[in-house]
Amino acid sequence: MAARSDSDATVRTRLEDLLEVLGRTDDAMVAVDGDLRIVGWNAAAERLLGYTTAQAMGRSCHEVLAWRDRCGDGICGPECPAAGPGDPDEIVATTEVIGRTAAGRSLWLTATSIVPPPEMRSECRMIHLVREVGLPPELERLVVERLSGWSPAIAADPRLETLTRRERQVLELLADGLDGASIAEKLFVSPATVRNHVQHILRKLQVHSRLEAVSLFLRGRP
């Protein structure tokens, strides 16, 4: 039993050292255990996401992070694949997500996930290194043009004509920076209805993300 306790203490010490090293980066570091509780949170996470370490530690990661995919669908939740033990040589691809701050502001983020060695996973299942990324260059240019009051003479894309009145309303609100929950509240519909409208918009416009749909819309907007 003593040997086991010594081994556990060694693992915890190694994990603490790992989190301390990773926590020095300029990226927000979020470490979660097998119960999807936050066990690591650095100063960069405080700055980016707006929660203090005391506010974040011990809480469910999906409650704090609330990540969504590029279509606005939730990807954080109790059934997250990270809750499983994973393969010994597990590798998680870097991904882009939509997150939110403690104040409710949406952020476009990229997350690199590090899986600790198997012997540490009872204490820490996964470590996310998160940073905010800019808009795609084309959309960024269009936003600047719109804010400056100048726009080149570009005819509206005919694909926009295939949208229903309600789908166009949803797209206009997306272009104004609203997220799915805010659109649902404004239009007095459920978030699921908004997600369905967004899926129809993406299919009709033949694009793969909300940002691409908004970009196409802004190009034809006077």
Side-chain angles (χ1 to χ4, degrees):
M1 182 63 70
R4 175 65 177 173
S5 298
D6 290 344
S7 176
D8 290 345
T10 299
V11 168
R12 283 194 292 271
T13 298
R14 289 179 57 202
L15 177 60
E16 290 171 0
D17 290 342
L18 175 62
L19 295 182
E20 199 275 332
V21 170
L22 293 177
R24 298 177 194 166
T25 69
D26 286 334
D27 291 335
M29 184 204 71
V30 183
V32 300
D33 64 14
D35 294 324
L36 302 182
R37 299 283 176 180
I38 295 174
V39 295
W41 190 268
N42 68 348
E46 291 187 344
R47 292 192 299 270
L48 179 64
L49 301 174
Y51 295 94
T52 66
T53 300
Q55 291 172 327
M57 292 288 281
R59 293 177 62 183
S60 297
C61 60
H62 58 270
E63 177 187 349
V64 175
L65 301 179
W67 284 349
R68 293 169 285 145
D69 62 20
R70 298 178 71 173
C71 293
D73 296 324
I75 57 177
C76 280
E79 304 304 319
C80 175
D87 297 326
D89 298 322
E90 182 180 6
I91 296 176
V92 180
T94 295
T95 185
E96 290 185 345
V97 298
I98 300 171
R100 72 178 184 198
T101 67
R105 184 170 68 90
S106 294
L107 298 173
W108 187 257
L109 305 169
T110 181
T112 299
S113 299
I114 299 171
V115 181
E119 64 271 16
M120 294 185 183
R121 294 183 197 174
S122 62
E123 301 285 339
C124 179
R125 176 66 183 86
M126 193 169 291
I127 303 165
H128 300 300
L129 297 179
V130 187
R131 65 204 66 86
E132 187 173 13
V133 293
L135 295 173
E138 182 184 38
L139 182 54
E140 187 173 14
R141 175 180 58 79
L142 290 168
V143 170
V144 170
E145 290 171 357
R146 181 183 176 195
L147 292 176
S148 66
W150 178 84
S151 181
I154 302 176
D157 193 294
R159 285 174 289 181
L160 293 170
E161 301 301 320
T162 65
L163 302 180
T164 66
R165 182 181 63 85
R166 180 62 94 184
E167 289 165 354
R168 191 172 184 91
Q169 281 182 312
V170 171
L171 183 54
E172 288 176 346
L173 292 173
L174 288 173
D176 288 337
L178 275 66
D179 60 15
S182 299
I183 293 173
E185 183 177 353
K186 191 174 185 66
L187 298 182
F188 302 102
V189 298
S190 70
T193 297
V194 173
R195 287 196 295 271
N196 288 337
H197 284 316
V198 171
Q199 291 295 339
H200 295 157
I201 291 169
L202 299 185
R203 177 175 53 80
K204 289 182 178 181
L205 299 185
Q206 302 170 28
V207 296
H208 302 290
S209 72
R210 295 183 180 204
L211 286 175
E212 290 180 84
V214 168
S215 176
L216 188 151
F217 173 73
L218 290 177
R219 275 184 289 180
R221 191 174 190 175

